Amino acid sequence: MAKNGDDFYANFAKVLDGTDAARMQPWLEDEKHLTRFAVHQGNYRMTTSKAMQGIYKAVFRLVGDEYFMGLMTQFLHDYPPQSSSLTHYGADFPAFLRNFSPVQKDLPWLAPVAQLDWAWFCAYGAKNTPALDASDLLDVAPELLPGRTPGLHTSCTLLRFSVPAYSIWRTNREDKNVGSISMKKGREWACVWRQDMTIRHASLNQAEYAFLDAIGGGRILAEAWTDARLHEQNFNLSKQFARWLNAGIFMGDNND
Amino acid sequence: MTQTITLPDRAGLGLKPEHYRDALAAPADGLWFEVHPENYMVDGGPRLAWLDAIAARFALSLHGVGLSLGGPERPDPDHLARLKVLVDRYNPASVSEHVAWSRLGNTYFADLLPPPPTRKTLHRLAEHIAQTQDALGRRILVENPALYLSLTGDISMIELYVEAAKMAGAGLLFDLNNIYVCAHNLGTGTKDWLAAVPAAEVGEIHLAGFTVQDRDGERVLIDSHGAPVSDPVWALYRDFIREAGPKPTLIERDENIPAFAELVGEAAQANAILDDYLKEARHG
């Protein structure tokens, strides 16, 4: 291969992606060093894998080191990092898992668990915006409350699953000894958010999900209540509003 | 370019999240901390809150790994903008980066890759350092690379490092573990590096440990920051301080993270060498 200017970088990049290092021979003083490109290939793979292990903790615990590294090899090839800060890497991992046929077939709960890991990570690094506080509502007449659009806090992610992903995720994130989860549990709904500096998460029923989803969509409390009642006729608006207000899940009054 | 504080000529530690509490409780006493800014490029949350608290008590150094100064393309403006946010937030005592590349097109390779040691690279590297300094509004230090490959070129890697910094008006971050690793892996000596690096331009020293990989029966030293500083690197450090005088000195550890107290012990070892120099200087 002829040696030509910036081809150095393009060829090096191909080697990092797994192509034979022989293409770099023109730029080496010592041919024996061709095997050492494996050091850089390993660094690239390990650095990104470790960053992803730090984000996808439940996924990592569920599949183990070897399987995770195998997933990472394919993910890295399909979705190489685009940002020079790995704090922005990995958003595509749940979608990758959803479409990766071996996972689709054998581990249908893995992509949903990854969504929860990502939601946790997003809440962790979300902007420090104040949540709506009871004191913000002191001047609001009770009859006007249903007309308000509190919105959800910037750190909040709502999720719904056709499998018991929240139960699987929670035990793998928090329990020393992982509990057994039956797939018969079926559908689950959850939310993950940050209250001050603490990451919080909760299991929801379908009515609570519908209520918070409507609020997240910018709808007024009365409409959110209507949505919730499609799933639970006795959905108690005052009780639910107070619960989530105390949990810091609504957007503060001073936020745009 | 303004800079109001400088790193003390004492030992500092690379700050790891598992050590936040210990770090915050440590006696200040000349101790300082260094972080990779890339790990703090988030909008908010606990990580920035911890760094706020640490930076309020200790001098801080931001040591970047993602600008790809030795690459063919100018530093990514988005990355520079995120770095500027952190520089403005913390007004760190030092900002540094590597003589390495890590980005091509839209892909970030998450490693410090060696640039080809050529005059073309030299001019481009100097330009990228200058662009970074312009964007940040301050002088930076650049670090010598750890090398595993003997690359062809019309200048040496030492020349690339020293001359690019000089052309851009930047300072030097001199990593003594890297020169030890280079000398072993490329069959050269550490003396060439020590002779060529102008001590007056060195604003910070890095000390770290290496690990060993076997490549076709060959022993290759890896700059993994995964072990305590080795004896030969301590010897290089003692020699360099004897010639150059005291310098801010970082103990780096990114793998096999030990208890905070163990790193404090390594920092004490570096401080003892700095103290020895001062004692000898006082006694003529």
Side-chain angles (χ1 to χ4, degrees), chain A residues 192-204:
Chain A
V192 181
W193 75 104
R194 198 180 78 221
Q195 186 171 26
D196 193 14
M197 290 294 149
T198 304
I199 314 303
R200 303 192 59 185
H201 50 85
S203 174
L204 308 173

Side-chain angles (χ1 to χ4, degrees), chain B residues 3-225:
Chain B
Q3 210 169 312
T4 52
I5 45 172
T6 55
L7 291 177
D9 290 336
R10 304 296 288 168
L13 294 173
L15 180 66
K16 311 309 291 181
E18 46 271 67
H19 293 155
Y20 282 152
R21 275 177 209 288
D22 291 326
L24 203 52
D29 198 24
L31 183 62
W32 53 278
F33 289 100
E34 184 162 287
V35 296
H36 297 311
E38 287 77 7
N39 294 335
Y40 295 85
M41 290 176 175
V42 290
D43 293 329
R47 194 168 274 211
L48 281 174
W50 276 110
L51 194 57
D52 288 349
I54 301 271
R57 280 203 65 210
F58 302 92
L60 185 69
S61 163
L62 297 183
H63 182 52
V65 293
L67 275 177
S68 194
L69 296 175
E73 298 146 348
R74 61 178 298 156
D76 174 15
D78 291 342
H79 191 75
L80 265 178
R82 287 193 288 262
L83 181 57
K84 177 83 164 77
V85 167
L86 290 170
V87 167
D88 289 346
R89 182 178 182 124
Y90 293 112
N91 187 23
S94 176
V95 178
S96 52
E97 249 291 350
H98 294 82
V99 171
W101 67 283
S102 54
R103 162 173 290 282
L104 190 65
N106 285 327
T107 303
Y108 169 62
F109 291 105
D111 190 15
L112 298 167
L113 303 163
T118 63
R119 293 202 178 280
K120 185 176 177 185
T121 309
L122 170 63
H123 289 281
R124 204 155 45 187
L125 173 61
E127 208 173 288
H128 293 168
I129 297 170
Q131 285 161 355
T132 300
Q133 295 183 136
D134 288 346
L136 300 181
R138 59 182 292 158
R139 187 178 192 238
I140 67 165
L141 308 178
V142 290
E143 179 181 338
N144 55 306
L147 301 170
Y148 312 105
L149 308 165
S150 273
L151 297 173
T152 57
D154 51 11
I155 61 172
S156 70
M157 203 58 90
I158 303 174
E159 205 176 343
L160 182 67
Y161 164 59
V162 174
E163 288 304 312
K166 192 174 164 187
M167 286 163 67
L172 298 173
L173 191 165
F174 197 22
D175 188 316
L176 297 178
N177 185 57
N178 285 358
I179 68 165
Y180 184 74
V181 163
C182 288
H184 174 92
N185 291 340
L186 308 186
T188 57
T190 54
K191 283 182 184 161
D192 293 349
W193 284 91
L194 292 168
V197 170
E201 296 303 318
V202 174
E204 183 181 336
I205 295 173
H206 274 186
L207 301 175
F210 55 80
T211 46
V212 181
Q213 278 185 17
D214 185 292
R215 292 273 155 217
D216 286 349
E218 242 192 329
R219 205 168 159 263
V220 180
L221 304 190
I222 308 297
D223 176 40
S224 62
H225 303 172

Side-chain angles (χ1 to χ4, degrees), chain A residues 97-116:
Chain A
L97 292 176
R98 202 174 301 118
N99 297 317
F100 190 52
S101 51
V103 169
Q104 249 175 1
K105 185 168 158 260
D106 301 327
L107 311 170
W109 35 264
L110 198 61
V113 166
Q115 280 181 274
L116 280 152

Side-chain angles (χ1 to χ4, degrees), chain A residues 10-24 37 41:
Chain A
N11 281 288
F12 205 132
K14 282 181 182 152
V15 172
L16 292 171
D17 193 35
T19 309
D20 187 354
R23 63 173 52 244
M24 286 303 292
F37 280 95
Q41 288 169 328

Side-chain angles (χ1 to χ4, degrees), chain A residues 156-177:
Chain A
C156 183
T157 306
L158 292 176
L159 304 113
R160 59 179 168 180
F161 309 107
S162 58
V163 291
Y166 177 75
S167 300
I168 297 170
W169 176 79
R170 197 207 57 73
T171 188
N172 278 280
R173 284 290 289 220
E174 296 185 343
D175 297 341
K176 194 175 173 193
N177 299 310

